[in-house]
Amino acid sequence: MTASVSSTIQSGSLLPPDHDQMISQGQAQNQPRSEPVGFYNERDLAPPPPPEKDFPLEPHQEKLQSGELQFQYPQQNGMDPQMQLEYEQQLFMQQQYEQEMLYQQQMNSGPIDWVEDPSVLSQSHLKPGHKATLLSYTQTLELYRQNAKKTNDPELQFEFAAFMIDAGKSLEDSQTRTELFDEAMKLLRRLATNGHAESQHYLAECYSSGFAKGKPDFDKAFPLWVQASKHGHPDAAYRTGRCYDEGLGTRKDSARAVQFYRKAASANHPGAMWRLGVVTLYGELGVTASPRDGVKWLKRSSQAATPEFPFALYELAQLHERGIENIVFVDPEYSISLYSQAAELGHAPSAFRLGECWEYGKLGCKQDPRLSIHYYTLAAQQEHPEASFALAAWYLVGSPGVLPQSDAEAYIWAKRAAEKDLAKAMYAMGYFTEVGIGPHKDPTAAIEWYKKAAAAGDKRAAERLEGVPVDAKKEKGKDEKCTIM
């Protein structure tokens, strides 16, 4: 019977009217159910099967592919249970075969294009090569300008103004640079007028640094800082306090200075906490001295120290050198630690102090020319006059295996210190030019340096101008050179 039914179905004469519905039901029965997970179901989140070069076919799949095996469909009425089972098995094999063939075609044809336009996901413009390009400066600026004009967000407009100023500083074309600066300042003024605190503070910085007019203008900077501080800007409050403290753009007012310092310190501003600590420690600006409270403010500031405000670390280090009875104990090792932290943040006086400690063996440090020269160099690179002069002394005598002796370098660093009005450096320059340490002898220049040193209070320079001889014929050994230095 099976053969006769099969031949009848193959002829196509007995396809049931609900054939398509039965097939869909069969697919639904044979496919595993999966619960949705978010926007996807488990089948979507399952990893794809590992790729294989060849997909071996089962015997029934080979027969299906060759056409030897034909699917059997149930008859319209009264389906036999055995025929139903054979039908479902054949339908399942067909589904498996189609899925495997589809996956094989995908693997052989390469990655699937999920978008109609492949260029949408193309990264070819990022590949290195002679054709690789970035947006030009003009294009970047114009895109930024368009975005700033499309929005009413003051933060985005402020960032655009700051970008124009930073970008303009590196431009060689003076006209373009001036146009950018003018556009940026105009935008900053508008934002400041509308009450944008960051713009008010930034504009005040431009005036106080001399960027806006070529020289500092605290008369315009001060009211902007006051406005920004009223909007809760901590750094503006600190700057306002400094203006009242030093009389910049306004008259001196100690009470108001302390008021704004406290306001900024309440927001953990390291500069305000440092200044308030010093004021309280030594009783300045009309504040009653309270060493205990002053040290507390210094400690809070040191914990929030930045490269711009490392001063509390230096103050605490000095306090631990000498100590305060019942408040700060003497701890040379801790002082060195605090000096080191401040030096790492770029504080030149701290680096100079460390150079002294490692040179002369102070505060428990062993003498170490390498570390001494290292810290002197850090400070001298920031134009610290004492450190520059100390570095000149090291170059004058040299250090075996660490620093080669060099009269030329000694002359350069001594001159840098002398140009910072360091009296003993000016005397050394007079001696150098008199005896020929450096470029050449120049008695006239030597007299000028001696005069400057004497005016700055150097007694040796005054004696030399009076005719007291300097034994220049003496062998230039370490002791003689150190005496000059």
Side-chain angles (χ1 to χ4, degrees), residues 221-252:
F222 172 72
L224 288 168
W225 275 325
V226 173
Q227 294 174 28
S229 66
K230 290 180 179 179
H231 289 93
H233 197 288
D235 195 54
Y238 167 72
R239 306 291 175 184
T240 304
R242 293 293 288 182
C243 288
Y244 279 121
D245 191 351
E246 302 176 19
L248 301 173
T250 184
R251 62 180 178 83
K252 286 188 176 183

PDB file of all heavy atoms in Angstrom, residues 221-252:
ATOM      1  N   ALA A 221      40.215  91.423  34.568  1.00  0.00           N
ATOM      2  CA  ALA A 221      40.166  90.041  35.043  1.00  0.00           C
ATOM      3  C   ALA A 221      39.413  89.931  36.369  1.00  0.00           C
ATOM      4  O   ALA A 221      38.629  88.993  36.570  1.00  0.00           O
ATOM      5  CB  ALA A 221      41.577  89.495  35.193  1.00  0.00           C
ATOM      6  N   PHE A 222      39.640  90.879  37.268  1.00  0.00           N
ATOM      7  CA  PHE A 222      39.072  90.769  38.615  1.00  0.00           C
ATOM      8  C   PHE A 222      37.542  90.660  38.618  1.00  0.00           C
ATOM      9  O   PHE A 222      36.990  89.737  39.250  1.00  0.00           O
ATOM     10  CB  PHE A 222      39.527  91.963  39.462  1.00  0.00           C
ATOM     11  CG  PHE A 222      38.853  92.058  40.790  1.00  0.00           C
ATOM     12  CD1 PHE A 222      39.157  91.159  41.800  1.00  0.00           C
ATOM     13  CD2 PHE A 222      37.892  93.038  41.037  1.00  0.00           C
ATOM     14  CE1 PHE A 222      38.520  91.238  43.035  1.00  0.00           C
ATOM     15  CE2 PHE A 222      37.261  93.119  42.255  1.00  0.00           C
ATOM     16  CZ  PHE A 222      37.576  92.217  43.261  1.00  0.00           C
ATOM     17  N   PRO A 223      36.793  91.562  37.960  1.00  0.00           N
ATOM     18  CA  PRO A 223      35.319  91.432  38.018  1.00  0.00           C
ATOM     19  C   PRO A 223      34.816  90.131  37.394  1.00  0.00           C
ATOM     20  O   PRO A 223      33.783  89.601  37.822  1.00  0.00           O
ATOM     21  CB  PRO A 223      34.821  92.650  37.235  1.00  0.00           C
ATOM     22  CG  PRO A 223      35.980  93.111  36.424  1.00  0.00           C
ATOM     23  CD  PRO A 223      37.201  92.743  37.185  1.00  0.00           C
ATOM     24  N   LEU A 224      35.520  89.606  36.409  1.00  0.00           N
ATOM     25  CA  LEU A 224      35.111  88.332  35.812  1.00  0.00           C
ATOM     26  C   LEU A 224      35.285  87.190  36.814  1.00  0.00           C
ATOM     27  O   LEU A 224      34.443  86.281  36.892  1.00  0.00           O
ATOM     28  CB  LEU A 224      35.920  88.063  34.545  1.00  0.00           C
ATOM     29  CG  LEU A 224      35.571  88.945  33.340  1.00  0.00           C
ATOM     30  CD1 LEU A 224      36.623  88.808  32.251  1.00  0.00           C
ATOM     31  CD2 LEU A 224      34.201  88.568  32.783  1.00  0.00           C
ATOM     32  N   TRP A 225      36.379  87.214  37.570  1.00  0.00           N
ATOM     33  CA  TRP A 225      36.575  86.184  38.596  1.00  0.00           C
ATOM     34  C   TRP A 225      35.512  86.294  39.683  1.00  0.00           C
ATOM     35  O   TRP A 225      35.029  85.270  40.186  1.00  0.00           O
ATOM     36  CB  TRP A 225      37.965  86.322  39.207  1.00  0.00           C
ATOM     37  CG  TRP A 225      39.028  85.625  38.409  1.00  0.00           C
ATOM     38  CD1 TRP A 225      38.890  84.453  37.714  1.00  0.00           C
ATOM     39  CD2 TRP A 225      40.378  86.033  38.230  1.00  0.00           C
ATOM     40  NE1 TRP A 225      40.071  84.109  37.103  1.00  0.00           N
ATOM     41  CE2 TRP A 225      41.014  85.064  37.412  1.00  0.00           C
ATOM     42  CE3 TRP A 225      41.126  87.126  38.672  1.00  0.00           C
ATOM     43  CZ2 TRP A 225      42.346  85.150  37.039  1.00  0.00           C
ATOM     44  CZ3 TRP A 225      42.456  87.217  38.303  1.00  0.00           C
ATOM     45  CH2 TRP A 225      43.065  86.244  37.494  1.00  0.00           C
ATOM     46  N   VAL A 226      35.150  87.521  40.046  1.00  0.00           N
ATOM     47  CA  VAL A 226      34.099  87.703  41.056  1.00  0.00           C
ATOM     48  C   VAL A 226      32.789  87.086  40.568  1.00  0.00           C
ATOM     49  O   VAL A 226      32.096  86.371  41.312  1.00  0.00           O
ATOM     50  CB  VAL A 226      33.912  89.200  41.386  1.00  0.00           C
ATOM     51  CG1 VAL A 226      32.711  89.390  42.308  1.00  0.00           C
ATOM     52  CG2 VAL A 226      35.167  89.774  42.026  1.00  0.00           C
ATOM     53  N   GLN A 227      32.431  87.347  39.304  1.00  0.00           N
ATOM     54  CA  GLN A 227      31.188  86.799  38.756  1.00  0.00           C
ATOM     55  C   GLN A 227      31.227  85.277  38.716  1.00  0.00           C
ATOM     56  O   GLN A 227      30.248  84.606  39.085  1.00  0.00           O
ATOM     57  CB  GLN A 227      30.964  87.350  37.348  1.00  0.00           C
ATOM     58  CG  GLN A 227      30.699  88.849  37.294  1.00  0.00           C
ATOM     59  CD  GLN A 227      30.622  89.359  35.870  1.00  0.00           C
ATOM     60  OE1 GLN A 227      30.252  88.631  34.960  1.00  0.00           O
ATOM     61  NE2 GLN A 227      30.982  90.632  35.670  1.00  0.00           N
ATOM     62  N   ALA A 228      32.357  84.718  38.268  1.00  0.00           N
ATOM     63  CA  ALA A 228      32.461  83.259  38.192  1.00  0.00           C
ATOM     64  C   ALA A 228      32.411  82.631  39.578  1.00  0.00           C
ATOM     65  O   ALA A 228      31.820  81.551  39.759  1.00  0.00           O
ATOM     66  CB  ALA A 228      33.753  82.866  37.480  1.00  0.00           C
ATOM     67  N   SER A 229      33.008  83.286  40.573  1.00  0.00           N
ATOM     68  CA  SER A 229      32.980  82.739  41.934  1.00  0.00           C
ATOM     69  C   SER A 229      31.559  82.720  42.479  1.00  0.00           C
ATOM     70  O   SER A 229      31.198  81.830  43.256  1.00  0.00           O
ATOM     71  CB  SER A 229      33.897  83.559  42.844  1.00  0.00           C
ATOM     72  OG  SER A 229      33.416  84.890  43.003  1.00  0.00           O
ATOM     73  N   LYS A 230      30.752  83.690  42.090  1.00  0.00           N
ATOM     74  CA  LYS A 230      29.351  83.711  42.536  1.00  0.00           C
ATOM     75  C   LYS A 230      28.567  82.553  41.934  1.00  0.00           C
ATOM     76  O   LYS A 230      27.531  82.154  42.487  1.00  0.00           O
ATOM     77  CB  LYS A 230      28.699  85.037  42.150  1.00  0.00           C
ATOM     78  CG  LYS A 230      29.228  86.231  42.943  1.00  0.00           C
ATOM     79  CD  LYS A 230      28.548  87.527  42.523  1.00  0.00           C
ATOM     80  CE  LYS A 230      29.051  88.713  43.333  1.00  0.00           C
ATOM     81  NZ  LYS A 230      28.412  89.992  42.909  1.00  0.00           N
ATOM     82  N   HIS A 231      29.053  82.025  40.794  1.00  0.00           N
ATOM     83  CA  HIS A 231      28.401  80.866  40.173  1.00  0.00           C
ATOM     84  C   HIS A 231      29.003  79.547  40.666  1.00  0.00           C
ATOM     85  O   HIS A 231      28.756  78.487  40.085  1.00  0.00           O
ATOM     86  CB  HIS A 231      28.528  80.942  38.647  1.00  0.00           C
ATOM     87  CG  HIS A 231      27.691  82.017  38.025  1.00  0.00           C
ATOM     88  ND1 HIS A 231      28.176  83.283  37.774  1.00  0.00           N
ATOM     89  CD2 HIS A 231      26.390  82.024  37.616  1.00  0.00           C
ATOM     90  CE1 HIS A 231      27.220  84.021  37.219  1.00  0.00           C
ATOM     91  NE2 HIS A 231      26.127  83.281  37.122  1.00  0.00           N
ATOM     92  N   GLY A 232      29.822  79.638  41.726  1.00  0.00           N
ATOM     93  CA  GLY A 232      30.348  78.419  42.345  1.00  0.00           C
ATOM     94  C   GLY A 232      31.594  77.877  41.710  1.00  0.00           C
ATOM     95  O   GLY A 232      31.867  76.666  41.815  1.00  0.00           O
ATOM     96  N   HIS A 233      32.400  78.713  41.055  1.00  0.00           N
ATOM     97  CA  HIS A 233      33.638  78.249  40.426  1.00  0.00           C
ATOM     98  C   HIS A 233      34.771  78.340  41.455  1.00  0.00           C
ATOM     99  O   HIS A 233      35.195  79.434  41.833  1.00  0.00           O
ATOM    100  CB  HIS A 233      33.966  79.122  39.211  1.00  0.00           C
ATOM    101  CG  HIS A 233      34.958  78.501  38.278  1.00  0.00           C
ATOM    102  ND1 HIS A 233      36.294  78.374  38.592  1.00  0.00           N
ATOM    103  CD2 HIS A 233      34.804  77.976  37.035  1.00  0.00           C
ATOM    104  CE1 HIS A 233      36.926  77.795  37.582  1.00  0.00           C
ATOM    105  NE2 HIS A 233      36.044  77.546  36.634  1.00  0.00           N
ATOM    106  N   PRO A 234      35.314  77.199  41.945  1.00  0.00           N
ATOM    107  CA  PRO A 234      36.316  77.234  43.028  1.00  0.00           C
ATOM    108  C   PRO A 234      37.588  77.993  42.666  1.00  0.00           C
ATOM    109  O   PRO A 234      38.088  78.790  43.474  1.00  0.00           O
ATOM    110  CB  PRO A 234      36.606  75.753  43.282  1.00  0.00           C
ATOM    111  CG  PRO A 234      35.425  75.019  42.757  1.00  0.00           C
ATOM    112  CD  PRO A 234      34.952  75.815  41.579  1.00  0.00           C
ATOM    113  N   ASP A 235      38.119  77.759  41.472  1.00  0.00           N
ATOM    114  CA  ASP A 235      39.375  78.425  41.110  1.00  0.00           C
ATOM    115  C   ASP A 235      39.170  79.925  40.969  1.00  0.00           C
ATOM    116  O   ASP A 235      40.059  80.717  41.307  1.00  0.00           O
ATOM    117  CB  ASP A 235      39.928  77.844  39.809  1.00  0.00           C
ATOM    118  CG  ASP A 235      41.380  78.234  39.582  1.00  0.00           C
ATOM    119  OD1 ASP A 235      42.205  77.985  40.480  1.00  0.00           O
ATOM    120  OD2 ASP A 235      41.687  78.800  38.519  1.00  0.00           O
ATOM    121  N   ALA A 236      38.001  80.337  40.483  1.00  0.00           N
ATOM    122  CA  ALA A 236      37.709  81.763  40.388  1.00  0.00           C
ATOM    123  C   ALA A 236      37.642  82.388  41.776  1.00  0.00           C
ATOM    124  O   ALA A 236      38.093  83.525  41.988  1.00  0.00           O
ATOM    125  CB  ALA A 236      36.399  81.981  39.638  1.00  0.00           C
ATOM    126  N   ALA A 237      37.090  81.657  42.739  1.00  0.00           N
ATOM    127  CA  ALA A 237      37.041  82.163  44.113  1.00  0.00           C
ATOM    128  C   ALA A 237      38.450  82.328  44.668  1.00  0.00           C
ATOM    129  O   ALA A 237      38.760  83.321  45.352  1.00  0.00           O
ATOM    130  CB  ALA A 237      36.225  81.222  44.990  1.00  0.00           C
ATOM    131  N   TYR A 238      39.318  81.359  44.375  1.00  0.00           N
ATOM    132  CA  TYR A 238      40.713  81.474  44.834  1.00  0.00           C
ATOM    133  C   TYR A 238      41.400  82.674  44.190  1.00  0.00           C
ATOM    134  O   TYR A 238      42.103  83.437  44.868  1.00  0.00           O
ATOM    135  CB  TYR A 238      41.465  80.188  44.501  1.00  0.00           C
ATOM    136  CG  TYR A 238      42.966  80.316  44.636  1.00  0.00           C
ATOM    137  CD1 TYR A 238      43.564  80.403  45.885  1.00  0.00           C
ATOM    138  CD2 TYR A 238      43.770  80.373  43.497  1.00  0.00           C
ATOM    139  CE1 TYR A 238      44.939  80.534  46.012  1.00  0.00           C
ATOM    140  CE2 TYR A 238      45.148  80.508  43.618  1.00  0.00           C
ATOM    141  CZ  TYR A 238      45.731  80.582  44.866  1.00  0.00           C
ATOM    142  OH  TYR A 238      47.091  80.724  44.988  1.00  0.00           O
ATOM    143  N   ARG A 239      41.201  82.852  42.873  1.00  0.00           N
ATOM    144  CA  ARG A 239      41.830  83.987  42.179  1.00  0.00           C
ATOM    145  C   ARG A 239      41.294  85.322  42.725  1.00  0.00           C
ATOM    146  O   ARG A 239      42.049  86.289  42.850  1.00  0.00           O
ATOM    147  CB  ARG A 239      41.555  83.907  40.679  1.00  0.00           C
ATOM    148  CG  ARG A 239      41.943  82.605  40.018  1.00  0.00           C
ATOM    149  CD  ARG A 239      43.417  82.398  39.957  1.00  0.00           C
ATOM    150  NE  ARG A 239      43.740  81.078  39.424  1.00  0.00           N
ATOM    151  CZ  ARG A 239      44.955  80.574  39.312  1.00  0.00           C
ATOM    152  NH1 ARG A 239      45.993  81.286  39.700  1.00  0.00           N
ATOM    153  NH2 ARG A 239      45.154  79.359  38.841  1.00  0.00           N
ATOM    154  N   THR A 240      40.035  85.351  43.053  1.00  0.00           N
ATOM    155  CA  THR A 240      39.466  86.571  43.640  1.00  0.00           C
ATOM    156  C   THR A 240      40.133  86.869  44.981  1.00  0.00           C
ATOM    157  O   THR A 240      40.477  88.023  45.286  1.00  0.00           O
ATOM    158  CB  THR A 240      37.951  86.419  43.830  1.00  0.00           C
ATOM    159  OG1 THR A 240      37.340  86.099  42.575  1.00  0.00           O
ATOM    160  CG2 THR A 240      37.340  87.706  44.360  1.00  0.00           C
ATOM    161  N   GLY A 241      40.333  85.820  45.787  1.00  0.00           N
ATOM    162  CA  GLY A 241      41.017  85.999  47.055  1.00  0.00           C
ATOM    163  C   GLY A 241      42.433  86.523  46.870  1.00  0.00           C
ATOM    164  O   GLY A 241      42.896  87.391  47.623  1.00  0.00           O
ATOM    165  N   ARG A 242      43.142  86.009  45.852  1.00  0.00           N
ATOM    166  CA  ARG A 242      44.504  86.485  45.588  1.00  0.00           C
ATOM    167  C   ARG A 242      44.498  87.957  45.182  1.00  0.00           C
ATOM    168  O   ARG A 242      45.400  88.713  45.540  1.00  0.00           O
ATOM    169  CB  ARG A 242      45.143  85.648  44.484  1.00  0.00           C
ATOM    170  CG  ARG A 242      45.416  84.211  44.845  1.00  0.00           C
ATOM    171  CD  ARG A 242      46.474  84.051  45.911  1.00  0.00           C
ATOM    172  NE  ARG A 242      47.811  84.345  45.414  1.00  0.00           N
ATOM    173  CZ  ARG A 242      48.917  84.240  46.149  1.00  0.00           C
ATOM    174  NH1 ARG A 242      48.833  83.846  47.403  1.00  0.00           N
ATOM    175  NH2 ARG A 242      50.106  84.524  45.639  1.00  0.00           N
ATOM    176  N   CYS A 243      43.500  88.352  44.416  1.00  0.00           N
ATOM    177  CA  CYS A 243      43.406  89.763  44.008  1.00  0.00           C
ATOM    178  C   CYS A 243      43.219  90.667  45.218  1.00  0.00           C
ATOM    179  O   CYS A 243      43.867  91.719  45.334  1.00  0.00           O
ATOM    180  CB  CYS A 243      42.258  89.954  43.017  1.00  0.00           C
ATOM    181  SG  CYS A 243      42.579  89.281  41.366  1.00  0.00           S
ATOM    182  N   TYR A 244      42.327  90.265  46.139  1.00  0.00           N
ATOM    183  CA  TYR A 244      42.147  91.042  47.361  1.00  0.00           C
ATOM    184  C   TYR A 244      43.394  90.979  48.242  1.00  0.00           C
ATOM    185  O   TYR A 244      43.734  91.947  48.931  1.00  0.00           O
ATOM    186  CB  TYR A 244      40.934  90.526  48.147  1.00  0.00           C
ATOM    187  CG  TYR A 244      39.606  91.039  47.637  1.00  0.00           C
ATOM    188  CD1 TYR A 244      38.620  90.164  47.201  1.00  0.00           C
ATOM    189  CD2 TYR A 244      39.332  92.412  47.624  1.00  0.00           C
ATOM    190  CE1 TYR A 244      37.393  90.633  46.752  1.00  0.00           C
ATOM    191  CE2 TYR A 244      38.107  92.892  47.170  1.00  0.00           C
ATOM    192  CZ  TYR A 244      37.149  91.997  46.738  1.00  0.00           C
ATOM    193  OH  TYR A 244      35.938  92.482  46.280  1.00  0.00           O
ATOM    194  N   ASP A 245      44.075  89.854  48.221  1.00  0.00           N
ATOM    195  CA  ASP A 245      45.264  89.657  49.039  1.00  0.00           C
ATOM    196  C   ASP A 245      46.419  90.544  48.569  1.00  0.00           C
ATOM    197  O   ASP A 245      47.130  91.151  49.385  1.00  0.00           O
ATOM    198  CB  ASP A 245      45.663  88.175  48.972  1.00  0.00           C
ATOM    199  CG  ASP A 245      46.722  87.811  49.995  1.00  0.00           C
ATOM    200  OD1 ASP A 245      47.280  88.703  50.653  1.00  0.00           O
ATOM    201  OD2 ASP A 245      47.017  86.604  50.127  1.00  0.00           O
ATOM    202  N   GLU A 246      46.602  90.644  47.253  1.00  0.00           N
ATOM    203  CA  GLU A 246      47.747  91.358  46.694  1.00  0.00           C
ATOM    204  C   GLU A 246      47.387  92.689  46.046  1.00  0.00           C
ATOM    205  O   GLU A 246      48.253  93.389  45.535  1.00  0.00           O
ATOM    206  CB  GLU A 246      48.439  90.461  45.662  1.00  0.00           C
ATOM    207  CG  GLU A 246      48.906  89.131  46.235  1.00  0.00           C
ATOM    208  CD  GLU A 246      49.491  88.225  45.174  1.00  0.00           C
ATOM    209  OE1 GLU A 246      49.867  88.735  44.096  1.00  0.00           O
ATOM    210  OE2 GLU A 246      49.587  87.003  45.417  1.00  0.00           O
ATOM    211  N   GLY A 247      46.103  93.036  46.045  1.00  0.00           N
ATOM    212  CA  GLY A 247      45.693  94.307  45.456  1.00  0.00           C
ATOM    213  C   GLY A 247      45.802  94.325  43.947  1.00  0.00           C
ATOM    214  O   GLY A 247      46.240  95.317  43.348  1.00  0.00           O
ATOM    215  N   LEU A 248      45.378  93.260  43.297  1.00  0.00           N
ATOM    216  CA  LEU A 248      45.431  93.157  41.837  1.00  0.00           C
ATOM    217  C   LEU A 248      44.059  93.453  41.247  1.00  0.00           C
ATOM    218  O   LEU A 248      43.112  92.680  41.435  1.00  0.00           O
ATOM    219  CB  LEU A 248      45.881  91.753  41.413  1.00  0.00           C
ATOM    220  CG  LEU A 248      47.251  91.301  41.930  1.00  0.00           C
ATOM    221  CD1 LEU A 248      47.509  89.841  41.577  1.00  0.00           C
ATOM    222  CD2 LEU A 248      48.348  92.177  41.345  1.00  0.00           C
ATOM    223  N   GLY A 249      43.931  94.581  40.581  1.00  0.00           N
ATOM    224  CA  GLY A 249      42.654  94.964  39.992  1.00  0.00           C
ATOM    225  C   GLY A 249      41.669  95.522  40.979  1.00  0.00           C
ATOM    226  O   GLY A 249      40.538  95.868  40.613  1.00  0.00           O
ATOM    227  N   THR A 250      42.045  95.596  42.231  1.00  0.00           N
ATOM    228  CA  THR A 250      41.194  96.137  43.281  1.00  0.00           C
ATOM    229  C   THR A 250      42.085  96.538  44.449  1.00  0.00           C
ATOM    230  O   THR A 250      43.287  96.239  44.468  1.00  0.00           O
ATOM    231  CB  THR A 250      40.160  95.083  43.737  1.00  0.00           C
ATOM    232  OG1 THR A 250      39.281  95.668  44.684  1.00  0.00           O
ATOM    233  CG2 THR A 250      40.843  93.880  44.352  1.00  0.00           C
ATOM    234  N   ARG A 251      41.517  97.212  45.416  1.00  0.00           N
ATOM    235  CA  ARG A 251      42.305  97.570  46.593  1.00  0.00           C
ATOM    236  C   ARG A 251      42.482  96.343  47.488  1.00  0.00           C
ATOM    237  O   ARG A 251      41.670  95.420  47.464  1.00  0.00           O
ATOM    238  CB  ARG A 251      41.615  98.689  47.362  1.00  0.00           C
ATOM    239  CG  ARG A 251      40.239  98.327  47.892  1.00  0.00           C
ATOM    240  CD  ARG A 251      39.597  99.478  48.640  1.00  0.00           C
ATOM    241  NE  ARG A 251      38.253  99.129  49.091  1.00  0.00           N
ATOM    242  CZ  ARG A 251      38.000  98.456  50.202  1.00  0.00           C
ATOM    243  NH1 ARG A 251      39.008  98.038  50.962  1.00  0.00           N
ATOM    244  NH2 ARG A 251      36.752  98.185  50.557  1.00  0.00           N
ATOM    245  N   LYS A 252      43.532  96.362  48.296  1.00  0.00           N
ATOM    246  CA  LYS A 252      43.756  95.255  49.209  1.00  0.00           C
ATOM    247  C   LYS A 252      42.665  95.216  50.268  1.00  0.00           C
ATOM    248  O   LYS A 252      42.253  96.254  50.794  1.00  0.00           O
ATOM    249  CB  LYS A 252      45.122  95.392  49.894  1.00  0.00           C
ATOM    250  CG  LYS A 252      46.308  95.076  48.997  1.00  0.00           C
ATOM    251  CD  LYS A 252      47.599  95.050  49.810  1.00  0.00           C
ATOM    252  CE  LYS A 252      48.774  94.652  48.944  1.00  0.00           C
ATOM    253  NZ  LYS A 252      50.041  94.553  49.723  1.00  0.00           N
TER     254      LYS A 252
END
